[in-house]
Amino acid sequence: MTERYTNARAAAATDRVGGRQQVLATNSLIRNTYLLLSLTLAFSAVTAGAAVVTDAPRPNVFIVLGGYFGLLFLTQYLRNSAWGLASIFALTGFMGYTLGPIINAYLGLPNGGQTVMTAFGGTAGIFVGLSAYALISRRDFSFLRGFLFAGILVAFLASLAGIFLQMPGLSLAVSVMFMLLMSGLILYQTSEMVNGGEDNYIMATITLYVAIYNLFLSLLQLLGLANE
């Protein structure tokens, strides 16, 4: 009996140590993710500002898609090395630069500056609110995985159709879809970090950055249409 009691105490102590280590690992992941996310957003803002100041032309959609997916796959491949950090800054810098001409187009519209700032503020508010909810509630949103994957694929194909077919109604619907899907993606990715579904802060940063980027674009387009 004494031996069983000793073994039980040892097992309980091991569980407590393992639990503390898991909590420390989760906290480290969250801290590193938000630190890297803030840095990549700042760098993206700098490249977007450079594109606005220089009045950079809007790049061809195929160049944007090629650069985005190429750098995305490169970052995924390098995610466990120091080069992954260089790759994610290349990706977010590129995306920021492609955002500059879009912002310039809206700034040229009546009340364009207000539209851009409202989209920025709305994006920040939605991200902070959803992230805080997922962090505090610690709810498991992993059930959204399949829905988000299918929804994003449909929305992406619909956005391409909207570009080539010049259908304003479809573009409006796609913006609404992306706004809802990116909100769900923020909840999902934050939940994955909290509940152990994600252990790589580079990949977590990419997912949150893409969600913020597309959320901002969707709000910008919706607000722009409302101001017309």
Side-chain angles (χ1 to χ4, degrees):
M1 180 177 295
T2 302
E3 183 178 351
R4 287 200 298 271
Y5 176 72
T6 302
N7 290 339
R9 289 189 62 184
T14 300
D15 289 341
R16 287 196 297 271
V17 172
R20 286 196 295 269
Q21 289 177 340
Q22 180 62 42
V23 170
L24 290 174
T26 299
N27 290 340
S28 177
L29 172 67
I30 293 173
R31 182 173 59 254
N32 290 337
T33 298
Y34 286 122
L35 174 60
L36 182 58
L37 180 63
S38 63
L39 292 174
T40 52
L41 287 172
F43 183 62
S44 186
V46 170
T47 58
V52 169
V53 170
T54 60
D55 197 19
R58 190 164 184 171
N60 182 277
V61 62
F62 294 109
I63 294 177
V64 174
L65 292 177
Y68 168 68
F69 284 110
L71 289 169
L72 177 63
F73 291 140
L74 178 63
T75 304
Q76 288 179 321
Y77 178 74
L78 299 172
R79 64 186 182 275
N80 293 316
S81 71
W83 287 106
L85 292 173
S87 181
I88 194 173
F89 275 100
L91 170 62
T92 55
F94 172 77
M95 293 180 70
Y97 191 80
T98 62
L99 188 61
I102 299 175
I103 293 176
N104 248 347
Y106 280 94
L107 289 176
L109 299 175
N111 299 318
Q114 182 180 353
T115 299
V116 173
M117 292 307 298
T118 303
F120 175 79
T123 301
I126 292 172
F127 174 74
V128 171
L130 293 176
S131 298
Y133 174 73
L135 288 170
I136 294 171
S137 69
R138 305 185 71 86
R139 284 191 57 187
D140 185 1
F141 288 97
S142 60
F143 65 90
L144 292 175
R145 182 186 296 112
F147 169 76
L148 289 172
F149 176 80
I152 291 171
L153 178 61
V154 171
F156 174 71
L157 294 176
S159 67
L160 291 181
I163 292 173
F164 292 110
L165 300 179
Q166 297 295 314
M167 299 172 61
L170 181 58
S171 298
L172 176 62
V174 168
S175 294
V176 174
M177 287 177 62
F178 263 114
M179 187 174 68
L180 296 175
L181 288 167
M182 294 305 105
S183 296
L185 187 59
I186 292 169
L187 287 173
Y188 167 76
Q189 184 57 67
T190 308
S191 168
E192 289 290 278
M193 292 191 296
V194 171
N195 296 298
E198 177 64 77
D199 59 3
N200 188 289
Y201 70 96
I202 289 180
M203 297 309 300
T205 299
I206 287 178
T207 303
L208 291 175
Y209 177 91
V210 169
I212 293 171
Y213 182 93
N214 285 294
L215 183 59
F216 174 75
L217 279 181
S218 299
L219 282 174
L220 190 61
Q221 184 167 10
L222 291 172
L223 291 170
L225 290 173
N227 288 334
E228 288 182 355

